[in-house]
Amino acid sequence: MTHELRSLPSLDALKNQARRLRSRLASEGDEVTHSKSLELVAAQYGYRDWNTLHAAVGNRPAFNPWMLGARVKGRYLGQAFEAEILSAQAISAKPRRYRLTFKFDEPVDVVTFESFSAFRQRVTATIDESGRTVERTSDGRPHLELEW
């Protein structure tokens, strides 16, 4: 199975996800060890175990959106983009959420209907620390996913 690093959260975000999973399971009466919760998170991302996922992610730094003017890449509504961050605002500490405004280098067509198009070049989105929006398309993908 081939995995794409760009779709993986940071190591810190994955560990936090495992802590939240363990806590949630415990609240429902299903106690699991921390290592078991790490293994479950790895399985969610399609990896055979935590060590393999950890190696795939490496020790890259956590997402840092606080660089106005920074250049970013990603996918918006399934389409690749390159953009500049025009504004950034922290809107919650736990979980960490950021409202970012992007100016795409090339406008993105936000309509999938063949006989109609609507292009957007400036988009504001609320993302979490993994660089993804909570909002999802009808096929379950985040509206916006950043790569770094």
Side-chain angles (χ1 to χ4, degrees), residues 6-7 19 23 27-29 39-40 44 48 63 66 68 72-73 78 83 86 88 99 103 105 126 131 133 135 137 145:
R6 71 174 183 231
S7 65
R19 284 186 202 96
S23 175
S27 74
E28 295 176 358
E39 297 295 327
L40 290 169
Q44 286 177 327
R48 66 186 169 128
F63 174 65
W66 294 111
L68 298 180
V72 294
K73 293 180 182 181
L86 297 180
R99 182 171 293 121
K103 181 181 179 207
D105 293 348
T126 301
T133 58
E135 298 81 17
T137 61
E145 298 176 275

Side-chain angles (χ1 to χ4, degrees), residues 4 8 11 20 26 32 67-68 89 106 116 147:
E4 294 183 23
L8 295 175
L11 192 55
R20 289 190 312 272
V32 297
M67 298 186 315
L68 298 180
Q89 176 186 15
E106 299 294 326
F116 177 73
E147 300 173 15

Side-chain angles (χ1 to χ4, degrees), residues 58-134:
N59 288 317
R60 65 186 167 149
F63 174 65
N64 180 3
W66 294 111
M67 298 186 315
L68 298 180
R71 303 285 309 158
V72 294
K73 293 180 182 181
R75 299 191 75 72
Y76 179 64
L77 300 176
Q79 298 181 54
F81 71 83
E82 292 187 24
E84 175 185 357
I85 296 178
L86 297 180
S87 70
Q89 176 186 15
I91 58 172
S92 70
K94 290 193 177 189
R96 291 185 183 148
R97 301 247 190 265
Y98 308 94
R99 182 171 293 121
L100 302 179
T101 299
F102 304 90
K103 181 181 179 207
F104 298 148
D105 293 348
E106 299 294 326
V108 172
D109 190 356
V110 298
V111 177
T112 57
F113 194 62
E114 291 180 21
S115 64
F116 177 73
S117 292
F119 290 92
R120 294 188 69 189
Q121 190 162 19
R122 191 172 291 207
V123 171
T124 299
T126 301
I127 61 168
D128 62 19
E129 61 190 326
S130 72
R132 295 184 179 108
T133 58
V134 174

Side-chain angles (χ1 to χ4, degrees), residues 8 11 14 38 41-43 45 47 49-58:
L8 295 175
L11 192 55
L14 290 167
L38 292 171
V41 167
Y45 288 94
Y47 288 83
D49 57 35
W50 172 254
N51 289 335
T52 306
L53 175 58
H54 187 284
V57 172

